[in-house]
């Protein structure tokens, strides 16, 4: 047999083997894919069903879910090492299990989950090319991508659009802040008084506003907090403005509610430095006007930790900042933004910022790894502290190491320095570093940075009817 025939024979056998493997994988992919079950409400929703079928066909769960039955090559030496890296990165970037469960149960995915899926669909980044070499059927056509986007639009329009938003912006990843939220006025009045009361601190020198200045964007302007006896805390102060929209509080999300958050600093020895809630309550009980205020707010004059923090939380619900220029734009005033600011918003979405900074507060809806696309801490230098461990300090799961609550971007022009470690002084630098460490588009031009910054500056809102820069206690 000639050399040419041998080569052709080997090539033919290779093609047959390759085709056979692809055929086997296609069968395996379909047989082991997630299913809805016979009673899933998604079966009666054509838009949602079409989106689920795209995710099922692409087998997003292979790299974005744990405990999935993986194809045979995941267990082959060498290939296993390559695939394990992809799996680790997939789990680090996004978890698809809650989305699949939402389809199965007919519930609503979170704003962040919708935004992350929209981001990769619009950027045409998934499924990856290497994966498609073995899973031909997983290639997403434009019709399939459109099906996902149509489902996302439906979910946003039905569940997340703010009343008053213009119809053309009802499906945007960012929504205008509502003008008001329902609150209990008597608790608000009590909570406001407590927010500014220095009796809550151990030596009577600090109050909540010491770190969360309402005339300073809801922060203190420091790299890290300055607490009792001039002690420096380990982490940058998040803004109290619009914190009500966060799904959890603190950078590591250790507080599930505003009331839980309000309890933390009072007893923290580095912050307000009180030692006993009973002592705090006893001090307040000495004031008859406080006793009357608790009676009015709670129907009883008993003063307790839970009632103190509940009142502060009720007050903090009023610390929302609607009516920014960007909000007016989303409500239909197309002249509220200039051309540069509109382009900045378009870039904010196309670069991928809106994949995490979503919802009315442009953040606070999820946790994200600091350094998703690059080693932030190695480049920053210095010791990695407990504060740098992020969500891990709460869950003790390696998946959550260096993962932080996505910060709220409302009024971001007023809340420097930036990041959990307060290491970035300017908004321009923050945009550059976020692009570098959190998005696939590692480098932005000076023009793009300027446009995104211009957009971010439109997010400064109003408090009590005045622009926040003019708001005072």
């Amino acid at each position: 047999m000639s050399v040419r025939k041998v080569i052709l024979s080997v090539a033919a056998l290779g093609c047959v083997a390759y085709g056979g493997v692809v055929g086997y994988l296609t069968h395996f992919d379909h047989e082991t894919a997630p299913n809805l079950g016979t009673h899933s409400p998604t079966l009666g929703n054509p838009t949602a069903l079409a989106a689920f079928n795209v995710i099922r066909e692409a087998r997003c769960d292979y790299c974005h879910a744990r405990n999935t039955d993986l194809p045979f090559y995941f267990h082959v030496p060498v290939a296993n090492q390559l695939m394990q890296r992809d799996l680790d990165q997939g789990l680090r970037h996004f978890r698809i299990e809650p989305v699949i469960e939402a389809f199965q149960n007919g519930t609503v995915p979170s704003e962040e989950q919708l935004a992350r899926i929209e981001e990769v669909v619009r950027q045409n980044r998934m499924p990856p090319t290497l994966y498609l070499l073995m899973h031909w059927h997983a290639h997403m056509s434009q019709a399939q991508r459109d099906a996902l986007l149509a489902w996302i639009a439906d979910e946003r329009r039905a569940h997340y659009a703010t009343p008053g938003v213009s119809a053309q912006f009802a499906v945007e990843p960012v929504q205008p802040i509502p003008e008001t939220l329902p609150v209990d006025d008597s608790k608000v009045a009590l909570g406001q008084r407590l927010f500014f009361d220095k009796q809550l601190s151990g030596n009577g020198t600090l109050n909540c506003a010491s770190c969360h200045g309402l005339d300073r964007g809801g922060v203190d302007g420091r790299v890290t907090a300055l607490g009792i006896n001039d002690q420096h805390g380990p982490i940058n102060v998040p803004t109290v403005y619009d914190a009500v929209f966060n799904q959890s509080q603190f950078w590591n999300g250790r507080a599930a509610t505003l009331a839980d958050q309000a309890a933390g600093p009072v007893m923290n020895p580095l912050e307000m430095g009180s030692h006993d809630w009973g002592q705090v309550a006893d001090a307040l009980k000495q004031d008859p006007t406080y006793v009357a205020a608790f009676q009015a707010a709670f129907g009883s004059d008993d003063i307790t930790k839970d009632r103190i923090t509940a009142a502060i939380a009720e007050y903090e619900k009023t610390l929302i900042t609607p009516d920014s220029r960007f909000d007016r734009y989303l409500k239909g005033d197309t002249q509220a933004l200039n051309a540069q600011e509109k382009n900045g918003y378009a870039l904010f979405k196309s670069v991928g910022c809106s994949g995490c900074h979503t919802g009315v507060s442009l953040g606070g809806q999820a946790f994200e790894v600091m350094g998703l696309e690059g080693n932030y801490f190695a480049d920053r230098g210095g010791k990695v502290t407990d504060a740098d461990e992020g969500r891990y300090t709460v869950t003790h799961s390696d998946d959550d190491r260096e993962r932080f609550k996505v910060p709220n971007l409302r009024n971001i022009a007023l809340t420097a320095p930036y990041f959990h470690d307060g290491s970035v002084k300017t908004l321009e630098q923050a945009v550059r570093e976020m692009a570098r460490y959190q998005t696939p588009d590692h480098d932005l031009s000076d023009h793009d940075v300027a446009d995104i910054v211009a957009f971010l500056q439109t997010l400064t809102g109003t408090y009590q009817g005045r622009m926040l820069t003019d708001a005072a206690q």
Side-chain angles (χ1 to χ4, degrees), residues 96-328:
I96 197 75
E97 297 103 322
V99 179
I100 293 173
E101 291 172 6
F103 280 120
Q104 291 169 336
N105 300 328
T107 53
V108 184
S110 72
E111 290 177 280
E112 183 265 350
Q113 289 159 0
L114 295 173
R116 292 299 299 275
I117 294 171
E118 179 184 45
E119 174 192 346
V120 297
V121 169
R122 292 196 183 280
Q123 293 180 348
N124 198 19
R125 288 198 285 118
M126 290 289 155
T129 301
L130 185 61
Y131 172 78
L132 293 174
L133 289 176
M134 303 299 291
H135 303 263
W136 295 354
H137 67 90
H139 173 78
M140 284 191 195
S141 67
Q142 187 58 52
Q144 288 174 311
R145 294 180 185 279
D146 289 343
L148 284 171
L149 295 175
W151 164 69
I152 291 168
D154 271 10
E155 294 296 297
R156 285 176 173 161
R157 189 180 293 107
H159 303 288
Y160 295 117
T162 299
V165 67
S166 172
Q168 62 180 316
F169 295 127
V171 300
E172 288 293 297
V174 181
Q175 291 293 301
I177 292 178
E179 295 292 331
T180 60
L181 294 176
V183 292
D184 182 313
D185 290 339
S186 59
K187 290 179 182 177
V188 168
L190 173 59
Q192 181 176 15
R193 184 176 175 185
L194 291 165
F195 188 88
F196 292 101
D197 194 335
K198 294 181 179 180
Q199 291 183 87
L200 271 63
S201 67
N203 61 4
T205 62
L206 300 172
N207 55 26
C208 301
S210 298
C211 284
H212 298 288
L214 300 191
D215 55 348
R216 299 191 301 269
V219 298
D220 60 359
R222 300 178 182 275
V223 173
T224 61
L226 186 67
I228 193 168
N229 300 321
D230 292 333
Q231 297 181 93
H232 287 275
I235 205 161
N236 185 257
V237 173
T239 181
V240 71
Y241 280 119
D242 304 305
V244 63
F245 301 116
N246 295 338
Q247 289 192 350
S248 60
Q249 308 297 328
F250 296 120
W251 283 99
N252 61 10
R254 65 185 181 274
T257 66
L258 285 174
D260 291 340
Q261 186 279 327
V266 176
M267 292 295 139
N268 190 311
L270 294 180
E271 296 185 47
M272 296 174 72
S274 288
H275 303 290
D276 181 82
W277 276 104
Q279 293 178 3
V280 173
D282 286 343
L284 299 179
K285 289 175 183 177
Q286 303 307 308
D287 186 335
T289 62
Y290 258 131
V291 174
F294 274 90
Q295 175 72 46
F298 294 99
S300 165
D301 62 6
D302 192 21
I303 300 177
T304 65
K305 166 194 169 183
D306 288 346
R307 289 183 173 182
I308 292 169
T309 57
I312 293 173
E314 197 72 6
Y315 169 61
E316 289 182 350
K317 290 180 186 178
T318 70
L319 301 180
I320 59 176
T321 60
D323 203 31
S324 67
R325 287 199 292 119
F326 183 61
D327 284 344
R328 296 199 294 272

Side-chain angles (χ1 to χ4, degrees), residues 2 53 64 136 170 192 301 339 342 353 407 425 437 463:
S2 68
N53 285 334
H64 296 284
W136 295 354
Q192 181 176 15
D301 62 6
K342 291 175 183 177
C353 309
K425 295 181 179 180
Y437 293 108
Y463 174 61

Side-chain angles (χ1 to χ4, degrees), residues 70 72-87:
L70 299 171
F72 72 89
Y73 59 76
F74 272 86
H75 310 289
V76 175
V78 181
N80 169 265
Q81 295 176 335
L82 296 173
M83 296 300 103
Q84 188 62 49
R85 181 185 180 279
D86 289 344
L87 177 58

